[in-house]
């Protein structure tokens, strides 16, 4: 597990380190700058640019600019030809004035930006204009500087290194504040930022490296900074930590899940979900589907138990036995929005003693019929909307949801006492308090059926007894890793949802 921070949390971490534990801000600044200068030197050496390189540090007048000035001084100490361009016009912070004075005393070449500097003449541009505190659109002189920096990208030999975050990106949601530096590399301090994770900020950040800038330790931050640790992401170690097999087990050990999926002409959704559920490691999977899909399921998924229904058949009584059998219930993939599908969805919502996963058409039925629901401690609910489905559920615009992914998901999770998996290029999972941001997956997964695979994964992992929130986070992580594995073999354009489902086994094996 790796913790992430937004601008407010990172400022709290900074203040805790400085004011409660007495670590001088200039010490933190020196550590941060050392991370930037060391990265630049290592990159130059790796690319056989050990001598004769030219570096320009473009500095604003805040603490981000002070970090850039400190990095310029350190590079100058190593004999590197480094220049400083001042983008800011104000007097700046105390730290900025201190660093500016030192740079001036050392005789490092410093100039004010006048609109005539060709940044493409440099091997490296260090972007230290704005840090994580940017709260309004970039305009005027600052916009001109950023435009000039981005123009330098026309020279393929010029590399741009952003200090903490590329200037112009919101550190909270990754939105571009009018204009932003398009960096090749970002050296960020302490913890990765949510604004670097989310798009479009992610595409402006280049390759991201997180360095230790000397803040107080995480155990202290958990005690002292209320908001610290509420936003996080997973890595491969979390898979092994959460998915544990027992040598003296049987199929009953790993749970039973019921997947309700597949209407007429949509049987593939049931197959994809069931396949992913079994590959998660669960013991038994039963599929409730339209009778027309039975033969296809038997041929493709002989491991599955199968129940069927007809369009005109009353379902409530028949569903009761299947619900009793299952430990978790997933409903929605390829279900359609007819009368039978609506009855099934209502029955699932009424069953408040099981973990229930609501996906696709189940969500469309809830939105279309304005069904109110709430999860409970005994019967938790996990929903898996993509952006358009979330728009139908909430009445918010797609643009508003994309700009406020965390807030939109948390608000809905709180209102309905559920776990919300809001799917996009960066998927957000939240129970209304904790927030997981997924960093796996790729655009090859923008293809029909991938959502059905995710639903099956969640159903399987919850059936195995994992905590519902952890199962939701882990399923999203493994789903993305499987997508990355599939893309490595088939290519992003040619991969299919079935490839993703198959790749789950390889991901878990590794």
């Amino acid at each position: 597990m790796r913790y992430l921070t937004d601008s407010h949390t990172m400022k709290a971490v900074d203040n805790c380190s400085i004011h409660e534990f007495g670590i001088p801000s200039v010490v933190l600044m020196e550590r941060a700058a050392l991370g930037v200068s060391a990265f630049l030197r290592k990159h130059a050496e790796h690319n056989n640019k050990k001598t004769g390189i030219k570096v320009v540090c473009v500095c604003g007048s805040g603490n981000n600019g002070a970090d850039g000035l400190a990095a310029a001084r350190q590079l100058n100490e190593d004999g590197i030809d480094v220049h400083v361009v001042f983008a800011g016009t104000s007097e700046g912070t105390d730290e900025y004035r201190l660093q500016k004075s030192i740079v001036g005393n050392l005789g490092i070449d410093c100039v004010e930006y006048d609109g005539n500097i060709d940044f493409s003449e440099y091997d490296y541009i260090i972007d230290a204009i704005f840090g994580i505190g940017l709260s309004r659109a970039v305009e005027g002189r600052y916009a001109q500087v950023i435009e000039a920096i981005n123009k330098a990208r026309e020279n393929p030999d010029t590399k741009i290194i952003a200090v903490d975050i590329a200037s112009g990106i919101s550190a909270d949601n990754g939105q571009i504040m009018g204009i932003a530096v398009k960096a090749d590399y970002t050296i960020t301090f302490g913890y990765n930022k949510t604004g670097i994770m989310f798009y479009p900020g992610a595409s402006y950040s280049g390759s991201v490296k997180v360095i230790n800038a000397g803040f107080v330790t995480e155990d202290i931050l958990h005690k002292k900074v209320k908001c610290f640790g509420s936003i996080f992401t997973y890595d491969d170690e979390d898979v092994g930590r959460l998915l544990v097999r027992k040598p003296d087990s049987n199929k009953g050990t790993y749970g039973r899940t019921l997947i309700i999926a597949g209407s007429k002409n949509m049987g593939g959704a049931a197959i994809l979900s069931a396949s992913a559920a079994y590959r998660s490691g669960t013991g038994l999977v039963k599929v409730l589907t339209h009778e027309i899909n039975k033969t296809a399921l038997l041929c493709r998924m002989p491991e599955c138990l199968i129940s069927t229904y007809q369009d005109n058949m009353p379902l409530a009584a028949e569903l009761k036995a299947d619900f009793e059998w299952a430990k978790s219930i997933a409903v929605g993939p390829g279900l359609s929005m007819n009368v039978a599908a609506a009855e099934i969805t209502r029955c699932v919502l009424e069953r408040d003693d099981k973990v229930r996963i609501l996906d696709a058409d189940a969500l469309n039925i809830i939105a279309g019929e304005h069904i109110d629901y709430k999860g409970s401690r005994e019967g938790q609910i996990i929903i898996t909307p993509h952006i358009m489905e979330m728009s139908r559920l909430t009445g918010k615009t797609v643009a508003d949801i994309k700009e406020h992914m965390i807030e939109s998901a948390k608000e809905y999770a709180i209102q309905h006492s559920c776990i919300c998996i809001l799917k996009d290029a960066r998927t957000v999972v939240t129970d209304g308090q904790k927030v997981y941001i997924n960093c796996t997956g790729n655009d090859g997964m923008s293809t029909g059926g991938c959502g059905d695979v995710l639903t099956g994964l969640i159903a399987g992992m919850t059936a195995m007894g994992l905590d519902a929130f952890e199962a939701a986070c882990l399923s999203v992580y493994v789903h993305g890793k499987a997508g990355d594995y599939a893309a490595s073999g088939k290519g992003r354009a040619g991969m299919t949802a079935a490839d993703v489902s198959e790749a789950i086994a390889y991901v878990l094996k590794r």
Side-chain angles (χ1 to χ4, degrees):
M1 178 184 293
R2 289 177 285 131
Y3 295 112
L4 307 172
T5 59
D6 57 18
S7 62
H8 306 289
T9 305
M10 200 60 227
K11 287 177 182 176
V13 170
D14 203 47
N15 286 332
C16 177
S17 299
I18 295 169
H19 299 298
E20 290 202 44
F21 290 89
I23 303 174
S25 61
V26 290
V27 172
L28 298 177
M29 190 167 287
E30 195 73 9
R31 288 281 297 271
L34 280 169
V36 176
S37 58
F39 175 85
L40 189 151
R41 289 193 298 270
K42 186 174 181 180
H43 186 277
E45 291 173 4
H46 181 74
N47 290 277
N48 297 317
K49 293 182 178 180
K50 297 181 181 179
T51 58
I53 63 172
K54 291 181 64 178
V55 178
V56 60
C57 293
V58 187
C59 301
S61 52
N63 281 1
N64 191 253
D67 291 335
L69 289 169
R73 169 173 50 79
Q74 292 163 3
L75 292 168
N76 179 72
E77 290 170 0
D78 288 340
I80 292 173
D81 183 12
V82 60
H83 299 179
V84 172
V85 172
F86 295 118
T89 57
S90 68
E91 286 297 313
T93 63
D94 292 342
E95 291 84 356
Y96 171 78
R97 292 194 298 272
L98 173 63
Q99 297 292 349
K100 185 177 181 180
S101 174
I102 295 171
V103 165
N105 292 338
L106 291 171
I108 296 173
D109 184 35
C110 301
V111 297
E112 300 280 343
Y113 181 74
D114 62 1
N116 297 313
I117 297 174
D118 182 2
F119 289 115
S120 65
E121 294 179 356
Y122 294 92
D123 298 285
Y124 294 95
I125 304 169
I126 295 177
D127 160 34
I129 304 172
F130 301 119
I132 61 172
L134 183 65
S135 59
R136 62 177 184 268
V138 180
E139 54 188 23
R141 180 179 181 177
Y142 289 112
Q144 293 172 9
V145 175
I146 291 175
E147 188 175 354
I149 291 173
N150 287 341
K151 184 174 175 56
R153 292 176 60 87
E154 295 175 4
N155 179 1
D157 294 327
T158 298
K159 300 302 177 185
I160 301 170
I161 301 173
V163 176
D164 208 15
I165 190 168
S167 294
I169 296 174
S170 165
D172 296 327
N173 58 22
Q175 296 299 302
I176 305 305
M177 311 292 280
I179 187 172
V181 170
K182 197 166 181 59
D184 296 292
Y185 306 95
T186 296
I187 310 302
T188 196
F189 309 136
Y191 303 92
N192 205 346
K193 313 302 184 292
T194 53
I196 296 174
M197 293 283 288
F198 285 121
Y199 288 92
S203 61
Y204 278 68
S205 301
S207 178
V208 179
K209 181 178 177 62
V210 181
I211 66 162
N212 180 2
F215 300 110
V216 293
T217 59
E218 289 179 356
D219 59 332
I220 292 175
L221 292 174
H222 280 297
K223 296 174 184 176
K224 295 288 186 178
V225 179
K226 183 178 179 181
C227 48
F228 181 80
S230 63
I231 309 175
F232 63 95
T233 190
Y234 276 167
D235 53 32
D236 287 353
E237 291 182 0
D238 293 293
V239 182
R241 173 175 63 86
L242 294 170
L243 289 182
V244 179
R245 307 290 287 189
K246 300 177 181 179
D248 59 338
S249 58
N250 57 64
K251 61 188 177 185
T253 306
Y254 303 109
R256 303 179 299 275
T257 188
L258 174 65
I259 295 175
I260 308 173
S263 59
K264 289 181 180 178
N265 304 317
M266 295 289 287
I271 294 170
L272 289 167
S273 293
S275 172
Y278 262 126
R279 292 188 186 282
S280 74
T282 196
L284 286 168
V285 178
K286 178 182 279 190
V287 177
L288 173 61
T289 189
H290 192 280
E291 63 175 356
I292 200 170
N293 301 320
K294 183 175 182 178
T295 300
L297 264 167
L298 287 170
C299 292
R300 293 288 300 275
M301 291 295 300
E303 303 92 344
C304 282
L305 304 171
I306 300 174
S307 291
T308 62
Y309 67 90
Q310 301 173 11
D311 290 333
N312 59 353
M313 174 179 156
L315 293 166
E318 285 73 9
L319 287 172
K320 184 176 180 181
D322 287 335
F323 287 175
E324 291 291 344
W325 174 86
K327 187 169 183 179
S328 69
I329 304 166
V331 59
L335 194 63
S336 81
M337 295 178 64
N338 56 31
V339 174
E343 182 181 355
I344 290 170
T345 299
R346 288 183 181 276
C347 288
V348 171
L349 288 171
E350 290 168 2
R351 189 71 193 230
D352 62 358
D353 61 342
K354 308 280 183 179
V355 177
R356 292 153 290 167
I357 301 98
L358 309 177
D359 180 41
D361 284 328
L363 297 175
N364 292 329
I365 289 167
I366 289 170
E369 300 194 8
H370 305 289
I371 300 173
D372 192 22
Y373 69 92
K374 282 186 179 291
S376 65
R377 184 181 296 275
E378 294 77 21
Q380 292 179 293
I381 291 176
I382 301 172
I383 67 166
T384 63
H386 55 59
I387 296 291
M388 184 60 73
E389 289 166 342
M390 192 66 167
S391 178
R392 297 188 197 112
L393 288 168
T394 63
K396 296 180 179 181
T397 65
V398 168
D400 184 47
I401 294 169
K402 285 183 74 71
E403 187 173 344
H404 304 98
M405 288 281 289
I406 292 176
E407 295 87 347
S408 297
K410 286 181 70 173
E411 180 182 337
Y412 193 89
I414 291 169
Q415 287 176 351
H416 296 274
S417 300
C418 69
I419 296 163
C420 179
I421 300 176
L422 182 52
K423 299 184 292 191
D424 199 35
R426 287 285 188 257
T427 292
V428 171
V429 185
T430 181
D431 59 359
Q433 301 299 321
K434 301 184 293 293
V435 176
Y436 168 82
I437 301 176
N438 191 54
C439 59
T440 60
N442 59 82
D443 53 42
M445 300 174 76
S446 300
T447 187
C450 274
D452 305 328
V453 173
L454 176 60
T455 298
L457 259 177
I458 302 166
M461 289 192 180
T462 50
M464 286 189 285
L466 268 70
D467 169 80
F469 181 67
E470 287 189 327
C473 300
L474 187 63
S475 295
V476 171
Y477 180 83
V478 171
H479 182 244
K481 289 286 283 190
D484 291 337
Y485 188 92
S488 68
K490 301 292 180 69
R492 291 181 296 175
M495 61 188 278
T496 67
D499 296 327
V500 177
S501 179
E502 183 178 351
I504 291 169
Y506 298 99
V507 168
L508 297 182
K509 177 183 177 182
R510 294 172 67 186

